Amino acid sequence: MLGRLRKQLLSQSIRNKLLLTAIACVLLPTAITLLTYNALTQEAVQRQAVSNAQDSLQLVNGSVTGLFKSMLNIANYIQVNADMNSYFKIVNAGGELSAKPYEAFIRENNILEQLENLTVIGDKSYVTVLLTNGKSYTNYSTSDYNPADLKREPWFGELDKLRGFQSYWVATRPTVFSMEKLDNPYQISVARTLRLENGEIYGYIIVTVMENQVNAIFDQLIAGQEVMLIDGSGRILSHKDRTRIGQELDLRLREAGAPLGSQVVRTGEERYLVAGQSISFNDWRLLSVQPYKQAAANISSLFKRVFLFQLVSFFFFLMLLIALLRAFTKPLVKLGRVTAAVQQGNLDVRSGIRGQDEIGRLGLLFDQMLDRVKQMLVEVSETQARKRRAELRMLQAQINPHFLFNVLNSIRMKAMRGGDRDSAKMIGSLSRLLRMTITSEKDDIHLHEEMDLITCYVELMNLRQKEEVMLRLDIASEAFMLQVPRFFLQPIVENAIIHGLGQRKGTIAIHAEMHDGGAIELSVADDGEGMNEEELGRLRNSIQVQSDGTMRGREGQHKGFSGIGLPNVMERMRMVFGDGFRMDVQSEPGKGTEIRMRIPAKEEAPDV
C-alpha cells in the first residue's frame, strides 16, 4: 500500500508534488496544532485565570498596604518628633511646662493640632497617645471614647514586649468609638511604645482605622470576587460580608491561598480559584476566592473565538497557498515543455521565461545555454574540419626520420671527404638539431635540453652569416631540470641574431637563477642596436595584447627587435604555466635589448 502510494507520488509532476507537499506540511501541523490547542485550552484558561486573579489581588494588596503604611507613618511621626516627645516626657513626669497657665494651654493645644493635622489628608484615622500617668492626647473627642479604657483591652499587655520601632497589629475588633459603631462595627489598630533613654516606657501610640476602609478597597478594585483579609491563624479580619469577620477560614482554601500562591481547589461540588498574597508589615494575608467557572468564563469564551478565527484563517490561507503555488510553478511547467522539445532535437525552441526570481533567472540561463550549445556545435564542426585538414597536412608532411638522418650523415661524410669541413659542420649541427626536435614525442623537455637545442641553432646561424655570434650561458645548476616547452627560446634568440645584432657579430647572454618557491628568473640579452621608446612601446603592447587573449600578436616591420614570435612564446608559456608566467622587455638605443621572463614552479601552473 505504502509502496504504491510512494510510486504514485513520484510519478506526479513537480507542480503536483509541491502542492501535495505544501498542503501536507501546512495541513498536518495545523491540524495537530489545533487539536493540541484545543486540548491545552483548559490548562491555558486556568493559567490565565490564575494570572488575572493574582494581578487583581496585587492591586488590592498595593492599596491595603498603602492604608497600613499610612497608619505606620503616623506612629513613626509621633515617635521621632523631638518636640512632641519632649512635651510628653515632661507631662508624664509631672513637671510644669510653663509658669503661666496660658502658655501651658497654648503648648498643649499645639500638640493636639499636630495630631489633628496628621489625618487631615487621606483616610480617617483615630490617633491616641496614652501616657503611663493616665494623661492622653487624641485627635478625637474623649466623649466619643475614653483612651484610658485601652488599658483594659486584652492585647494591651503585649505592648510592653515591643522594642524600638516594633509595631503590634491589633486584629479586627468591635469598634470602640460610639460615633462609628452604627456604620463601622469593626476596627483595626496598630500600636507603638514611647520609651525614655533608659528604655522605660512612658507612653503608647495607637492608630486605628475602620475595617470598612479595607473592604471598601475590595469592592473598588475587584468586582465579582470574594476577597478577604486573614491573620496567620486563618481568622477572617476583613470581609465585605461582616457576619464572616472573626470566623475561621476553610483549611483547604487557606492552604491554597499560601503567600504568592494560586490554586484551583474543589470544595464539595464546586471548584474555586484561590489566590493569596502577603501583607509586608505582619503575618496577615489577602485571599481572593472565586468560583472557577465564573473566573474562566470570559477567558474560555475568548479562547473559543480565537480557535474559530484560526480555523477560518487556516482554510483561507490554504486556498491562497494553492493559488500562489500554481502561479509560481506555471513557469516551471512551461520550462518542462521546452525541455521535452529540446530532448526531441529542437534546439530553436526558447522558454521566454524572465524575471528577478530564481525561476526567471533559470529561464534566462536555460535560453542562453541553448544559444551557447548551438554556437558550440558550430565551433565543434569547424574545429573538426580544421583538425581533419591538419591531420591530412601532417600525413602529407611525414618523412621517416631515420631515412632523413642517414641521408644527412651521408652528405656530411661526402663533404668531409671532399675537404669541405664548413659544410660538414653545418650538416652535422642540422642533423643534431633535427634529431632533438623530431624524435622527441614529449611537448616538454628539461631546460638543459633546451640549452642544447639553442647551442645547435646558434652554430647553424653562425655558418649562415659572415660574422659569428657568441652564445654565453649562465644557468644555475638547480634550474637545469625545470620542465619547459620545446624551442620556447628559439624565437627570442632568432630575433636577437637577426634584428638585435643585425646578423653581425655580437654576444647573446642567457642567464637563469632560482628564487624562493621554485620559480626561475630567465633573461636573454644581446649587445645590439637596441630600440627607441616608440619601438619598445609597440613591442610591449603586442605582448600585452597577446597576454590579454584579445588578439593574435602581429609581427611589426621595423628596425631592431621586431617582436617576431614573442607573442607566440607568450601564448605558449601562458598555456603551460598560467597567469604566473611574466615577460618583460628592456631596451635602450645602442645598448642592446633584454627579454626577462619569470617562469613559476610547476605546482603554480594549471594542468593542461
Side-chain angles (χ1 to χ4, degrees):
M1 178 66 180
L2 292 176
R4 185 166 62 254
L5 182 61
R6 180 174 177 273
K7 185 177 180 180
Q8 291 178 353
L9 180 61
L10 292 176
S11 63
Q12 297 292 321
S13 65
I14 186 66
R15 169 184 282 188
N16 292 337
K17 289 179 182 178
L18 284 175
L19 288 174
L20 292 175
T21 302
I23 291 173
C25 291
V26 173
L27 181 60
L28 292 178
T30 304
I32 294 173
T33 301
L34 291 177
L35 292 175
T36 305
Y37 174 85
N38 189 48
L40 297 178
T41 296
Q42 296 302 321
E43 181 181 350
V45 168
Q46 179 174 327
R47 287 197 304 267
Q48 187 62 43
V50 167
S51 176
N52 291 346
Q54 280 289 350
D55 292 343
S56 301
L57 198 60
Q58 182 69 37
L59 295 175
V60 175
N61 193 354
S63 298
V64 173
T65 300
L67 175 62
F68 290 165
K69 188 175 182 179
S70 66
M71 297 170 65
L72 288 176
N73 289 338
I74 294 173
N76 289 337
Y77 178 83
I78 298 173
Q79 197 170 13
V80 300
N81 189 294
D83 184 56
M84 296 179 74
N85 276 269
S86 175
Y87 177 82
F88 293 148
K89 289 176 183 178
I90 295 174
V91 171
N92 188 66
E96 292 293 336
L97 293 174
S98 174
K100 299 179 180 179
Y102 177 74
E103 291 180 358
F105 171 78
I106 293 299
R107 184 72 182 274
E108 179 178 359
N109 190 60
N110 182 50
I111 295 298
L112 293 176
E113 285 182 357
Q114 290 187 58
L115 293 179
E116 184 68 30
N117 292 335
L118 288 175
T119 57
V120 169
I121 301 175
D123 297 315
K124 174 64 176 178
S125 300
Y126 293 87
V127 182
T128 303
V129 177
L130 179 63
L131 303 180
T132 54
N133 65 356
K135 184 69 174 176
S136 62
Y137 299 88
T138 67
N139 66 343
Y140 56 88
S141 173
T142 54
S143 62
D144 195 22
Y145 176 69
N146 185 8
D149 294 340
L150 288 171
K151 295 183 178 180
R152 292 195 293 271
E153 293 289 335
W155 50 267
F156 193 83
E158 300 292 330
L159 301 185
D160 294 340
K161 301 177 183 179
L162 300 178
R163 293 291 182 269
F165 286 91
Q166 289 182 342
S167 303
Y168 181 83
W169 289 89
V170 182
T172 305
R173 296 187 60 79
T175 300
V176 297
F177 303 101
S178 57
M179 295 294 294
E180 295 284 355
K181 286 183 178 181
L182 182 62
D183 296 324
N184 301 300
Y186 295 98
Q187 66 182 31
I188 297 175
S189 303
V190 63
R192 290 268 185 91
T193 57
L194 296 173
R195 295 178 180 270
L196 299 173
E197 286 74 7
N198 59 5
E200 180 182 354
I201 298 175
Y202 72 87
Y204 305 92
I205 307 169
I206 299 93
V207 181
T208 303
V209 296
M210 298 298 104
E211 178 274 336
N212 189 52
Q213 294 176 239
V214 177
N215 65 59
I217 295 174
F218 301 162
D219 291 336
Q220 291 174 3
L221 298 180
I222 300 182
Q225 294 186 29
E226 182 182 5
V227 184
M228 63 194 77
L229 177 68
I230 63 173
D231 62 11
S233 62
R235 188 167 65 91
I236 298 176
L237 301 179
S238 180
H239 196 288
K240 63 180 180 180
D241 184 1
R242 295 174 180 174
T243 60
R244 298 192 60 184
I245 295 177
Q247 296 180 0
E248 294 286 337
L249 184 64
D250 184 272
L251 181 60
R252 282 173 293 182
L253 298 179
R254 189 193 318 168
E255 293 176 348
L260 299 179
S262 298
Q263 292 185 31
V264 177
V265 297
R266 182 177 294 277
T267 302
E269 297 295 328
E270 190 69 36
R271 296 173 66 200
Y272 292 94
L273 173 60
V274 183
Q277 290 192 6
S278 298
I279 301 297
S280 57
F281 305 118
N282 44 43
D283 62 347
W284 297 354
R285 280 183 293 158
L286 286 169
L287 253 66
S288 169
V289 181
Q290 185 180 16
Y292 180 72
K293 288 182 179 180
Q294 178 184 347
N298 294 334
I299 304 173
S300 179
S301 175
L302 176 63
F303 274 104
K304 288 179 180 178
R305 289 196 296 270
V306 171
F307 179 82
L308 181 61
F309 175 76
Q310 288 179 333
L311 196 61
V312 173
S313 299
F314 163 72
F315 283 107
F316 172 76
F317 285 107
L318 180 61
M319 295 299 103
L320 180 62
L321 175 63
I322 294 174
L324 291 176
L325 282 176
R326 290 181 63 86
F328 293 156
T329 56
K330 185 177 180 180
L332 288 177
V333 175
K334 182 178 180 182
L335 193 61
R337 290 197 295 266
V338 174
T339 305
V342 172
Q343 184 183 14
Q344 295 175 1
N346 184 5
L347 296 180
D348 295 325
V349 67
R350 296 294 183 269
S351 68
I353 299 172
R354 299 294 182 268
Q356 298 300 320
D357 57 3
E358 290 79 359
I359 298 178
R361 290 194 292 271
L362 179 62
L364 175 62
L365 294 176
F366 184 77
D367 291 347
Q368 292 177 348
M369 180 189 69
L370 291 178
D371 295 338
R372 180 59 179 161
V373 167
K374 289 193 65 177
Q375 180 183 355
M376 290 177 65
L377 288 175
V378 174
E379 292 176 355
V380 168
S381 298
E382 293 177 354
T383 301
Q384 290 296 330
R386 289 196 300 270
K387 184 177 179 182
R388 285 194 296 270
R389 290 193 296 268
E391 289 174 350
L392 179 60
R393 287 194 297 269
M394 289 178 62
L395 289 173
Q396 294 172 346
Q398 281 184 345
I399 301 175
N400 191 319
H402 294 287
F403 172 76
L404 181 59
F405 298 150
N406 291 335
V407 172
L408 288 174
N409 282 329
S410 298
I411 296 173
R412 184 176 65 85
M413 294 301 296
K414 186 176 181 179
M416 289 183 65
R417 285 194 299 269
D420 191 354
R421 292 186 176 274
D422 290 341
S423 297
K425 184 178 180 182
M426 181 183 295
I427 295 171
S429 296
L430 177 60
S431 178
R432 289 195 303 273
L433 185 62
L434 289 176
R435 185 180 299 277
M436 285 185 287
T437 56
I438 295 177
T439 59
S440 177
E441 297 179 355
K442 298 183 297 181
D443 293 331
D444 294 343
I445 61 175
H446 294 109
L447 184 60
H448 70 85
E449 296 179 283
E450 180 71 7
M451 293 299 106
D452 292 339
L453 290 172
I454 294 302
T455 301
C456 292
Y457 176 73
V458 173
E459 289 178 356
L460 285 174
M461 295 298 292
N462 284 336
L463 292 173
R464 289 179 53 193
Q465 55 192 29
K466 297 178 181 180
E467 297 177 312
E468 292 188 357
V469 174
M470 181 181 296
L471 180 64
R472 188 174 63 215
L473 303 178
D474 181 17
I475 310 298
S477 58
E478 59 269 22
F480 276 122
M481 299 307 293
L482 178 69
Q483 292 280 336
V484 294
R486 284 193 301 168
F487 259 142
F488 83 99
L489 288 177
Q490 185 271 338
I492 301 175
V493 174
E494 181 180 1
N495 275 332
I497 293 173
I498 297 175
H499 301 285
L501 298 175
Q503 295 184 327
R504 294 187 295 272
K505 68 176 180 178
T507 302
I508 297 176
I510 301 178
H511 174 76
E513 63 180 10
M514 298 295 295
H515 286 268
D516 295 339
I520 182 173
E521 294 288 343
L522 190 146
S523 65
V524 179
D526 65 70
D527 55 358
E529 298 178 2
M531 292 180 287
N532 57 35
E533 291 292 335
E534 182 181 356
E535 293 171 337
L536 181 61
R538 284 198 298 267
L539 179 57
R540 286 176 173 173
N541 183 62
S542 68
I543 296 174
Q544 181 62 37
V545 169
Q546 185 61 36
S547 173
D548 294 339
T550 56
M551 62 174 287
R552 291 283 181 184
R554 299 181 60 186
E555 291 94 359
Q557 301 297 328
H558 51 80
K559 186 178 180 181
F561 230 94
S562 65
I564 296 175
L566 284 184
N568 291 333
V569 173
M570 185 71 177
E571 182 179 11
R572 289 181 62 200
M573 298 300 283
R574 278 289 180 90
M575 290 175 62
V576 175
F577 294 100
D579 294 338
F581 175 78
R582 297 286 186 272
M583 178 184 286
D584 187 29
V585 183
Q586 302 290 334
S587 182
E588 293 185 24
K591 293 185 179 181
T593 302
E594 181 181 8
I595 307 295
R596 297 176 182 174
M597 292 175 283
R598 180 187 181 276
I599 303 175
K602 198 65 176 177
E603 56 268 21
E604 297 181 35
D607 295 334
V608 294

